[in-house]
Amino acid sequence: MTQQVLHPMVKMQRQVESLVASKILSPSDRIWKIAFLYGDKWQHWKNELLDFGFTLQDPVSELLEVEAWDED
């Protein structure tokens, strides 16, 4: 039996989806608002998002639309 390991960005994406579902974040909020929720870990996630081509001004909805976090 093989256990699939989730990409760290999938876990982050699911957390953000949960925040949107709880109405803590809105899909139209800018990605930089996530910084308030991640505190000390934000620098790491910010770099990950930038590496995947996001800007901090992109709406959260764009982050939620990603179907696969492939690192080529």
Side-chain angles (χ1 to χ4, degrees):
M1 184 155 108
T2 309
Q3 185 175 4
Q4 185 176 2
V5 177
L6 290 179
H7 191 286
M9 291 300 291
V10 172
K11 293 178 184 178
M12 192 254 237
Q13 185 181 34
R14 288 182 179 173
Q15 290 173 336
V16 172
E17 283 175 338
S18 177
L19 294 169
V20 169
S22 301
K23 305 230 185 288
I24 294 170
L25 281 176
S26 167
S28 62
D29 285 340
R30 303 292 175 216
I31 286 177
W32 63 263
K33 285 193 174 183
I34 299 170
F36 297 117
L37 306 167
Y38 279 95
D40 294 345
K41 297 178 185 175
W42 173 242
Q43 192 61 43
H44 166 75
W45 291 113
K46 176 180 146 186
N47 290 336
E48 289 288 321
L49 289 163
L50 294 174
D51 287 348
F52 277 102
F54 288 97
T55 72
L56 300 182
Q57 296 302 316
D58 289 337
V60 169
S61 60
E62 288 189 19
L63 171 65
L64 300 179
E65 290 173 1
V66 176
E67 293 181 14
W69 294 96
D70 296 326
E71 295 185 53
D72 292 351

